[in-house]
Amino acid sequence: MPAVTRTAVDPVHDVIIIGAGPGGICAAILLAERGVTDVVVLERAAGIGGTWFNNRYPGLACDVPSDLYSYSFFQDYDWSRTFARRHEMCAYVEEAAARFGVSDRVVLDAGVETAHWDEAACLWTLVTSAGEVHRARTVVGAVGMFNEPVRPDIPGLDDFGGTLVHTAEWTGDDVTFLEGKAVGVIGAAASAIQLVPAIAPVVGRLEAFHRTPQWVFPKDDAVFDEAERARRRADPSVVAALRQQSVDFVDRLCDYENEGLMAELREKGLANLEALEDRALREAMRPLLPIGAQRTLLSSEYYPTFNRPGVTLVTDPIVEIVEAGIVTASDGLHPLDVLVLATGYAAHKFLSVIDVVGREGVALREVWKDGAYAYKGMTVDGFPNLFMLYGPNTNGGSIIDKLETQSRYVADKIAHILDLDLASLEVRTDAVAAYNEKLLRDLGAVAAWRVEGSRYFRAPSGRIVTQCPYNPTEYDALTRVDDLADYTSRPREAAA
């Protein structure tokens, strides 16, 4: 635990939000709309943007059209293309914070290490990595899923003698250290399919080490010319129509049991695969798992990259990593100068990446030891006045659209606490149990999530903790039901 730096009297805020990514900024904006302005947003990084600020690897881009990967209340942003790149996403979140008047509530370089509930005072006490103490009546955890990079469990990884970098830890926009080098990339998911086409023209030789081929669908990433941008600026209905088209498509895409839709998608995915000129390579990269068993991937550049001279696919199992490179079972040593780990995050931890302790000294990590769960993905019994965004079983569709749904729900609950001057509001244990019993049944009904390939979606126990079995429109409706009966409130007088 960090050394604690206390002022004479630590101020008590109405709300502390942990994280200044799209979720945290959205929550601050919607709280302000409800009249809640005593809000502090603590951000561990040096800038606003969350994942989009922290991740800097080449090729990083949205995989949801920008017209949907954005707030419904901020649709007049002048996007340059269909799928925004990292810099535009950071600029968008920053501009949203400024336009809606919450920039001054953000404290940068303030990584929260602990959040403990004080039952006697009915307050949360948060301590940052610098030892600063913050207290609040309510807390919103907006740390998301992507916090802790995963390093593959490969013998000898630390023995590699060249440059070793995880995509989550890329420094700046620099690619000069790759120029003319022999580069290996481990991974075949979202970061890898964006990274590989971006660095292939720079490196001397590129080897992509795959374990399981994934479905990669074409990405119609149109760049808007000035005429199109002017049309979008002049007529809001153009953007509104495109956003609605995306909403309808994403809702439909979430139905993995729709065999007609899956057949249509398989046809598109296999047609995309035809961009590979080598027949043997096409067969090696032909997906075997059902659509939906892994994260949906979009790229029209990934497969053609393997037509380039010097770009090689390696499916031979990795045995170990040595100082000179990677050793595979049949091929032996693959000499490398640079090794890139495109192996993602420990997506199953959510808010438990922070030391969160609720009533009776119970740690959230302990409560979630067999897999994270929550009521509607946003709150857990035993942790009063605590809410989370992008929590367990809420992944799917446009994350920013989902974050707005959750921010509205959380803002409503916090406004209720403050309007009635409640000491605490806590979801009932039976309500959490009932919600998750149905959730597990609905998750189990999705055949694609019952196969081994869905390990990305699971906690080590095997429980699916990331995916939402309801499409975004269904989930939004679920959060609009009056559910205060599922909560227990405690008036301030009773807490005194």
Side-chain angles (χ1 to χ4, degrees):
M1 183 173 177
V4 174
T5 303
R6 292 188 178 275
T7 59
V9 178
D10 297 318
V12 175
H13 298 285
D14 286 338
V15 188
I16 288 180
I17 299 171
I18 307 173
I25 294 302
C26 186
I29 291 169
L30 297 190
L31 281 165
E33 285 187 357
R34 294 298 307 268
V36 181
T37 57
D38 182 13
V39 177
V40 174
V41 184
L42 300 178
E43 168 54 52
R44 69 177 178 179
I48 290 173
T51 295
W52 295 104
F53 180 86
N54 295 322
N55 282 265
R56 294 157 187 267
Y57 66 82
L60 176 58
C62 297
D63 53 12
V64 173
S66 307
D67 292 326
L68 180 57
Y69 198 82
S70 51
Y71 306 129
S72 68
F73 53 82
F74 184 15
Q75 286 291 294
D76 60 343
Y77 191 77
D78 188 18
W79 299 110
S80 69
R81 61 195 309 149
T82 304
F83 294 89
R85 297 295 196 258
R86 171 193 172 267
H87 292 93
E88 273 195 295
M89 281 310 309
C90 280
Y92 176 79
V93 180
E94 288 177 354
E95 186 168 325
R99 178 184 292 200
F100 296 96
V102 300
S103 295
D104 61 352
R105 290 164 203 175
V106 178
V107 181
L108 300 175
D109 297 311
V112 175
E113 299 286 335
T114 68
H116 291 192
W117 173 250
D118 183 336
E119 181 70 12
C122 286
L123 297 174
W124 282 96
T125 299
L126 290 74
V127 182
T128 70
S129 54
E132 296 172 335
V133 176
H134 301 264
R135 297 194 300 162
R137 294 178 65 180
T138 63
V139 168
V140 180
V143 301
M145 288 169 50
F146 307 121
N147 292 283
E148 186 176 304
V150 169
R151 289 165 60 92
D153 185 16
I154 301 174
L157 181 61
D158 293 331
D159 296 331
F160 181 62
T163 301
L164 178 67
V165 59
H166 194 288
T167 53
E169 297 162 344
W170 207 279
T171 302
D173 299 313
D174 181 41
V175 294
T176 56
F177 69 98
L178 302 175
E179 291 178 356
K181 300 295 178 62
V183 179
V185 177
I186 298 178
S191 54
I193 69 158
Q194 295 181 339
L195 174 80
V196 166
I199 66 173
V202 177
V203 305
R205 176 169 57 84
L206 176 61
E207 295 188 81
F209 294 82
H210 276 214
R211 181 168 59 180
T212 306
Q214 305 209 36
W215 286 97
V216 182
F217 301 100
K219 187 175 188 178
D220 184 15
D221 189 14
V223 176
F224 302 143
D225 60 23
E226 185 51 44
E228 177 63 15
R229 293 174 74 165
R231 187 172 77 96
R232 289 166 57 89
R233 288 193 297 265
D235 187 356
S237 69
V238 171
V239 173
L242 290 170
R243 180 180 173 88
Q244 189 58 52
Q245 287 177 20
S246 293
V247 168
D248 295 342
F249 177 74
V250 168
D251 278 353
R252 181 169 176 255
L253 186 63
C254 289
D255 185 5
Y256 297 113
E257 300 306 296
N258 183 331
E259 186 52 41
L261 172 62
M262 293 303 107
E264 177 186 329
L265 292 175
R266 282 193 293 272
E267 183 178 348
K268 289 183 177 180
L270 293 176
N272 199 32
L273 185 63
E274 288 297 313
L276 281 166
E277 296 169 356
D278 185 274
R279 179 179 298 179
L281 196 55
R282 284 201 301 272
E283 287 306 308
M285 299 185 80
R286 185 180 298 273
L288 302 175
L289 296 172
I291 293 172
Q294 298 160 306
R295 179 176 172 179
T296 301
L297 305 177
L298 299 179
S299 176
S300 296
E301 301 175 337
Y302 183 63
Y303 291 136
T305 300
F306 288 88
N307 298 329
R308 297 177 63 98
V311 178
T312 307
L313 175 72
V314 181
T315 59
D316 192 28
I318 296 174
V319 174
E320 64 176 333
I321 295 174
V322 297
E323 183 178 1
I326 293 178
V327 177
T328 62
S330 300
D331 300 338
L333 177 65
H334 298 253
L336 298 171
D337 302 309
V338 180
L339 179 56
V340 181
L341 306 178
T343 47
Y345 291 86
H348 60 277
K349 294 190 175 183
F350 306 99
L351 189 56
S352 68
V353 295
I354 293 169
D355 177 27
V356 178
V357 176
R359 284 193 297 105
E360 300 177 3
V362 176
L364 186 59
R365 289 171 185 160
E366 181 63 22
V367 171
W368 282 353
K369 64 183 178 182
D370 293 325
Y373 65 89
Y375 176 75
K376 300 185 179 179
M378 290 180 280
T379 190
V380 184
D381 52 314
F383 297 82
N385 296 7
L386 177 69
F387 305 93
M388 62 193 83
L389 307 178
Y390 204 4
N393 298 112
T394 62
N395 188 48
S398 165
I399 297 309
I400 292 190
D401 180 58
K402 188 73 64 69
L403 290 169
E404 184 177 336
T405 287
Q406 296 173 335
S407 294
R408 174 190 44 74
Y409 179 93
V410 169
D412 286 347
K413 290 294 183 285
I414 290 176
H416 177 75
I417 292 170
L418 299 177
D419 289 346
L420 297 185
D421 197 25
L422 298 176
S424 66
L425 184 72
E426 180 182 345
V427 67
R428 295 194 343 247
T429 300
D430 61 324
V432 178
Y435 177 80
N436 280 274
E437 285 171 10
K438 181 179 186 305
L439 178 78
L440 289 173
R441 288 195 302 271
D442 294 338
L443 287 167
V446 181
W449 295 344
R450 296 198 295 266
V451 303
E452 181 185 355
S454 62
R455 59 187 175 270
Y456 169 77
F457 303 150
R458 301 176 184 274
S461 66
R463 178 189 173 107
I464 295 175
V465 296
T466 61
Q467 299 310 98
C468 181
Y470 317 117
N471 70 43
T473 298
E474 291 169 337
Y475 180 78
D476 183 78
L478 186 70
T479 66
R480 293 181 183 275
V481 175
D482 182 358
D483 60 4
L484 277 173
D486 286 343
Y487 286 80
T488 299
S489 60
R490 185 180 178 193
R492 190 182 285 274
E493 311 84 68

